Amino acid sequence: MVNKKIKVLQVVHGLAPGGIEAFLLNIIENIDRDKIEISFAVAAMGKQFHEERVTALGIRVYHTSDLNGIKNIIIHFLKLVKLIKLEGEFDVVHSHIDFFNGINLLAAFIAGVPNRISHSHNTNSAHAKNVGATISIRMYRKVMRSLINILSTKNLGCSSEANIYMYGKKNTNKNGNNVIFNGINLEKFSKINEEIKDFKIDESKINFITIGRMCEQKNSLFIVKIVNELSKVQNNIHLFWIGKGPQEGEIKKMIEEYGIEDKITLLGNRTDVNCILNKMNFMLFPSKWEGLPVTLVEAQASKVPCFISNKITDEVNIGLCTALSIEENEKIWANNIFKYIKNKNYNKKIDSKILDKFDIKNVCRIIENIYLKV
């Protein structure tokens, strides 16, 4: 007798380049698909950046609606309920849309899904930075947190801080240990001398890299300021920037105003991040908030020391992270970075026991066990 596959619906905001998407792509490419059948419900219209990569694995992708405005949110909710009922027999709904998980879990509950998982991937939100929206955001979070904690059958998160942010301290260990580190393919990022097809890197320079969406969360404008100060202290530096986003126009303007066009190369979205990382000397990552950025795990697996903000959880440090205060200005960041480069032995050893926790094979076994226990 053939055992029935566990059917899991992943509910996501999109399949664009990003940390959540990278985590889920790693999961679906390494999970035992003989035991677990995964589908995606995407809260976005239009073909997504990673959609072909997902469908090539035989995984179905359903589009509901964009989430901009009450009308579209209602459309998303109704389509999600209908999708779950019509496609039917989903054993698990696993939601990854921040506090909006509450709405997704409600749809799953109404549709009769017995196992409803909320997954926290962050420790803050850009919306919460809008002072005028503070009261409404607090109310939204309070209502959604209640919905999540009532309707979820398991709370998961990428770090301890991410769990506290979404669920509150008393619900962070609902139904067991719920920290699931963002796993990566260690073999992929440990390879060296992979060729980059469309451009050359001058390895005689001190090459920095930053990877992430060009937005407030990633502190993108501050990155430009740091590079400007770095170039004043040491002319032989260069930053490669992987990513796009809403602040791209401001970034380009600032680069031009500082006159550092020769110090920064904007690469846009890439699929060969591992090849580029292996050519880098250092990573620059001064985010204002994060859950647990998979990019930092990838960088350290590639033996790239990382300069990160003190707002990023210590759980990401495998041995090559140096935290600097986000309260300090770009001059202090630049000075501290060059002191480190000049005076420290930055060929630190990676903690192999911690690194193993990020091995996608180990992470997949944990996720599989969660699904299979249903």
Side-chain angles (χ1 to χ4, degrees), residues 149-314:
N149 286 325
I150 290 169
L151 296 174
S152 72
T153 56
K154 193 168 189 66
N155 292 338
L156 301 178
C158 62
S159 69
S160 300
E161 292 178 18
N163 286 330
I164 293 171
Y165 160 71
M166 181 170 288
Y167 311 121
K169 289 185 178 180
K170 69 178 182 179
N171 291 300
T172 56
N173 288 313
K174 185 174 182 179
N175 294 326
N177 185 354
N178 63 348
V179 174
I180 307 292
F181 287 142
N182 293 338
I184 67 166
N185 184 332
L186 294 182
E187 183 180 350
K188 178 180 177 181
F189 287 92
S190 62
K191 291 180 180 179
I192 59 174
N193 297 325
E194 291 271 340
E195 288 299 320
I196 302 168
K197 295 179 180 179
D198 55 338
F199 71 96
K200 295 290 184 182
I201 294 173
D202 185 349
E203 296 185 22
S204 68
K205 293 185 176 181
I206 302 173
N207 290 305
F208 289 80
I209 188 169
T210 192
I211 303 173
R213 195 160 181 261
M214 294 172 167
C215 61
E216 181 187 359
Q217 177 189 358
K218 303 298 182 182
N219 215 356
S220 297
L221 301 182
F222 187 57
I223 291 173
V224 181
K225 293 178 180 179
I226 294 171
V227 174
N228 183 50
E229 292 300 325
L230 287 171
S231 66
K232 293 177 183 178
V233 180
Q234 171 68 50
N235 187 52
N236 194 31
I237 68 109
H238 197 92
L239 173 76
F240 292 89
W241 196 322
I242 296 177
K244 297 179 75 66
Q247 290 188 329
E248 185 171 358
E250 290 179 80
I251 288 166
K252 289 180 177 178
K253 184 179 178 181
M254 185 178 286
I255 291 171
E256 186 178 347
E257 288 175 350
Y258 282 141
I260 53 174
E261 295 95 330
D262 62 329
K263 302 296 182 187
I264 298 179
T265 299
L266 304 179
L267 296 174
N269 294 324
R270 304 281 301 197
T271 57
D272 57 349
V273 173
N274 60 317
C275 303
I276 299 170
L277 269 174
N278 278 299
K279 306 289 186 183
M280 295 295 108
N281 300 112
F282 302 99
M283 171 167 275
L284 194 56
F285 209 86
S287 292
K288 293 182 177 180
W289 67 89
E290 291 282 353
L292 192 147
V294 67
T295 292
L296 289 177
V297 180
E298 294 170 347
Q300 292 176 91
S302 302
K303 296 189 170 65
V304 178
C306 306
F307 298 104
I308 70 174
S309 80
N310 61 336
K311 296 297 182 180
I312 298 173
T313 176
D314 290 338

Side-chain angles (χ1 to χ4, degrees), residues 6-39:
I6 299 297
K7 294 180 67 175
V8 180
L9 182 66
Q10 306 283 354
V11 187
V12 295
H13 205 171
L15 290 170
I20 298 172
E21 292 85 354
F23 166 69
L24 289 170
L25 286 167
N26 285 332
I27 291 295
I28 64 174
E29 290 176 342
N30 290 276
I31 205 163
D32 189 342
R33 293 197 296 278
D34 290 331
K35 296 178 180 178
I36 297 164
E37 179 183 318
I38 291 178
S39 301

